[in-house]
Amino acid sequence: MEEKKSPASAAESAASGQPAAVPAAELRPGRRKFPTVGDLFAMLGIAFGAQIVVGTAAMVFLLFAGHGLDFKSLEPAALGKVMAALYFCSMSITLAGILYYRRARGGSGPWARFSARGLNPALLLWAFVLMFAVGVVLEPLLRLMPELSLEVGRGFWTILSLVIFAPIFEELICRGVVLGSLRGKFGVTTAWLVSSLFFGVLHGQPVQVINATVIGLVLGYVYLATDSLWSVMILHALNNAVAYLALATGHGNALLIDLVGSRTLYVLIYIAALALSAVSGYMMLRTLRRMKEAEKNPSAA
């Protein structure tokens, strides 16, 4: 008979930072049909296809409404409302399409996990600081990339889109469906890496691909550690809220080096960010190694 943990012991385990408990039957990677590499490309195709269809429909509507094909001609608040509607429609189609495709390809098991473990304040604070740190570490590379071109508007609807819609849809897809499915077939480490890359590619533009892939590593680890989408949705929302604040204040494409007046101070911040990223990366890899061992021997987990 399998021993059941009491709520108190489960809470103690969460506070200690131990990996989240997952049913033993779901730990061991198996020879499942879904997902293959082709399936990953197909799911990306569903996402980009939904964006193209919804975007084309929106342009036709604006054309007949007398606004022309230039979204930039709209007022910021109106643009925010349009972009929020487009995002919600395209991501709803994407999520529904991916879930249908997953089912058609034989994907099984739960694809969205939620638990109170995801509300560990210490873990969330560490992950939020780490996301900022890796962003600083990436700055020398990001400076070499084409400047991000993103028109999302301003105001309530833009905030709703970035801080509510995006975390929900993208985490359900990238951590819920993609990471969960990959873990069931290939194991925790491969799932962590590939789902992060999937998350990055989903964002399209080169700067976003690099930044989102690295952020995805942090989000993916937190999801694996907590077995809860609450945690990553909260972190994603906080990250996007900071991004919107920078955008609204005219610093959308600004890097920290552009905002810090003292070069000496920037170097010190960069060294601290690099150290935090290195130590955190090592700790994450150690935890993932323990998870991988648990997958190989579920009875000992």
Side-chain angles (χ1 to χ4, degrees):
M1 180 179 296
E2 183 180 357
E3 181 182 355
K4 295 184 178 180
K5 292 186 178 181
S6 67
S9 63
E12 182 180 354
S13 176
S16 66
Q18 295 297 319
V22 180
E26 299 178 23
L27 280 172
R28 189 187 301 275
R31 295 182 178 180
R32 303 181 183 182
K33 184 177 180 180
F34 177 87
T36 63
V37 174
D39 291 326
L40 294 174
F41 280 107
M43 289 189 287
L44 284 173
I46 291 171
F48 291 132
Q51 293 177 24
I52 292 172
V53 170
V54 172
T56 301
M59 287 191 290
V60 171
F61 174 79
L62 289 176
L63 183 62
F64 280 97
H67 293 288
L69 298 178
D70 186 9
F71 283 78
K72 297 180 182 179
S73 63
L74 298 173
E75 293 294 326
L79 178 61
K81 185 179 294 187
V82 170
M83 297 306 292
L86 293 180
Y87 182 85
F88 182 84
C89 291
S90 65
M91 292 305 287
S92 296
I93 294 171
T94 298
L95 179 59
I98 286 177
L99 289 176
Y100 178 82
Y101 179 84
R102 173 181 181 265
R103 182 177 180 181
R105 288 282 294 149
S108 60
W111 58 272
R113 297 180 180 276
F114 297 89
S115 77
R117 294 178 64 92
L119 304 179
N120 184 330
L123 179 64
L124 293 177
L125 177 61
W126 164 80
F128 182 71
V129 173
L130 180 59
M131 288 193 296
F132 172 78
V134 296
V136 173
V137 172
L138 287 174
E139 283 198 354
L141 176 60
L142 298 181
R143 289 178 67 88
L144 303 176
M145 307 297 293
E147 190 173 88
L148 178 64
S149 175
L150 187 63
E151 294 293 335
V152 294
R154 300 290 188 277
F156 170 78
W157 289 100
T158 300
I159 296 173
L160 184 67
S161 177
L162 293 176
V163 181
I164 304 297
F165 293 164
I168 292 175
F169 281 116
E170 292 176 16
E171 295 309 321
L172 284 173
I173 292 170
C174 297
R175 252 59 66 181
V177 178
V178 176
L179 191 154
S181 299
L182 286 167
R183 184 181 186 182
K185 181 172 182 178
F186 298 106
V188 63
T189 305
T190 299
W192 177 61
L193 293 172
V194 176
S195 65
S196 299
L197 181 59
F198 184 97
F199 178 63
V201 173
L202 195 64
H203 284 75
Q205 298 191 48
V207 171
Q208 286 184 304
V209 170
I210 294 173
N211 195 51
T213 297
V214 178
I215 294 297
L217 292 173
V218 180
L219 294 173
Y221 171 81
V222 172
Y223 179 59
L224 290 168
T226 62
D227 198 32
S228 174
L229 285 172
W230 289 127
S231 54
V232 288
M233 285 180 178
I234 291 171
L235 287 169
H236 198 148
L238 290 173
N239 182 73
N240 285 9
V242 172
Y244 175 77
L245 183 62
L247 186 68
T249 55
H251 299 98
N253 285 310
L255 301 175
L256 184 63
I257 192 172
D258 302 319
L259 302 176
V260 176
S262 169
R263 185 172 183 83
T264 301
L265 177 59
Y266 176 77
V267 170
L268 292 175
I269 294 174
Y270 190 90
I271 292 173
L274 184 62
L276 175 61
S277 300
V279 172
S280 297
Y282 173 74
M283 293 174 62
M284 287 192 294
L285 289 174
R286 284 191 60 185
T287 302
L288 290 171
R289 190 177 300 116
R290 290 198 298 268
M291 291 182 184
K292 186 175 182 179
E293 292 172 356
E295 287 178 341
K296 294 179 179 179
N297 187 18
S299 60

